[in-house]
Amino acid sequence: MSDNLRALSITLVAEPKQVKNFTLTQWRIAELTLGDQGPIVLNLQLSMTERAAYRFNLTSTTPRLFVRSGFTGQTPKPDAITASQDVAAGWMDGEQQVLEAPMPMAIQVWIESYLARHGEAPMEMRKKKRKGAGRAKETPTKEQPQ
């Protein structure tokens, strides 16, 4: 298996939720395990461009995995999984339903070793402007000779 790809099995469960006079169905991930033995199998693929997001997730109190599950309001059909909160936020901006689950320790260790092999993402630094750039030049006046 590739050093940036792992198969994960997911089991979803529907829970009825009473809101005022309505009953809604809320979906959640009941089980998330390594391997391809479950009812839904997705491949978690790590990307070099998401290394900073992986580090941010790993340093949080409870690292999470995020599963894209089709459009909001529909029965979930999981089709992608990520460890990047940035990617998950992009999915939600596109009105996709995103389910989340605690990240298994084995996946945390695997991502840590991936970051160790490929290095941390470089810090985004703003370039300094050269001195005087973007400023109007002062013109000498009679009071201020050159």
Side-chain angles (χ1 to χ4, degrees), residues 3-51:
D3 87 325
N4 71 333
L5 190 68
R6 290 290 181 271
L8 295 168
S9 296
I10 298 167
T11 305
L12 299 180
V13 65
E15 296 177 335
K17 188 172 187 176
Q18 191 71 29
V19 178
K20 295 191 181 183
N21 295 333
F22 298 99
T23 301
L24 302 173
T25 302
Q26 186 170 7
W27 291 88
R28 70 175 180 84
I29 297 172
E31 188 176 18
L32 188 142
T33 56
L34 277 76
D36 56 2
Q37 305 303 315
I40 301 166
V41 177
L42 296 174
N43 288 318
L44 174 60
Q45 184 167 12
L46 300 180
S47 167
M48 293 287 281
T49 58
E50 295 298 322
R51 289 175 295 169

Side-chain angles (χ1 to χ4, degrees), residues 2-146:
S2 170
D3 87 325
N4 71 333
L5 190 68
R6 290 290 181 271
L8 295 168
S9 296
I10 298 167
T11 305
L12 299 180
V13 65
E15 296 177 335
K17 188 172 187 176
Q18 191 71 29
V19 178
K20 295 191 181 183
N21 295 333
F22 298 99
T23 301
L24 302 173
T25 302
Q26 186 170 7
W27 291 88
R28 70 175 180 84
I29 297 172
E31 188 176 18
L32 188 142
T33 56
L34 277 76
D36 56 2
Q37 305 303 315
I40 301 166
V41 177
L42 296 174
N43 288 318
L44 174 60
Q45 184 167 12
L46 300 180
S47 167
M48 293 287 281
T49 58
E50 295 298 322
R51 289 175 295 169
Y54 300 148
R55 173 59 61 209
F56 182 77
N57 192 356
L58 288 173
T59 57
S60 69
T61 24
T62 54
R64 319 286 290 163
L65 289 175
F66 306 94
V67 177
R68 183 177 64 196
S69 302
F71 288 101
T72 305
Q74 297 177 351
T75 302
K77 294 180 180 80
D79 63 355
I81 187 167
T82 185
S84 168
Q85 293 167 318
D86 297 342
V87 170
W91 291 341
M92 288 191 291
D93 288 345
E95 296 185 15
Q96 295 285 316
Q97 183 173 194
V98 176
L99 305 174
E100 60 180 68
M103 186 184 298
M105 185 56 71
I107 295 296
Q108 291 179 43
V109 170
W110 173 62
I111 293 173
E112 281 288 353
S113 68
Y114 178 85
L115 293 174
R117 275 191 311 280
H118 298 287
E120 298 288 330
M123 294 297 289
E124 294 282 330
M125 300 293 279
R126 291 177 54 193
K127 291 184 179 180
K128 291 183 179 179
K129 290 184 178 180
R130 67 185 196 288
K131 187 175 180 178
R135 296 188 181 129
K137 290 186 177 183
E138 291 183 27
T139 54
T141 61
K142 289 184 180 181
E143 294 84 33
Q144 295 177 337
Q146 266 185 308

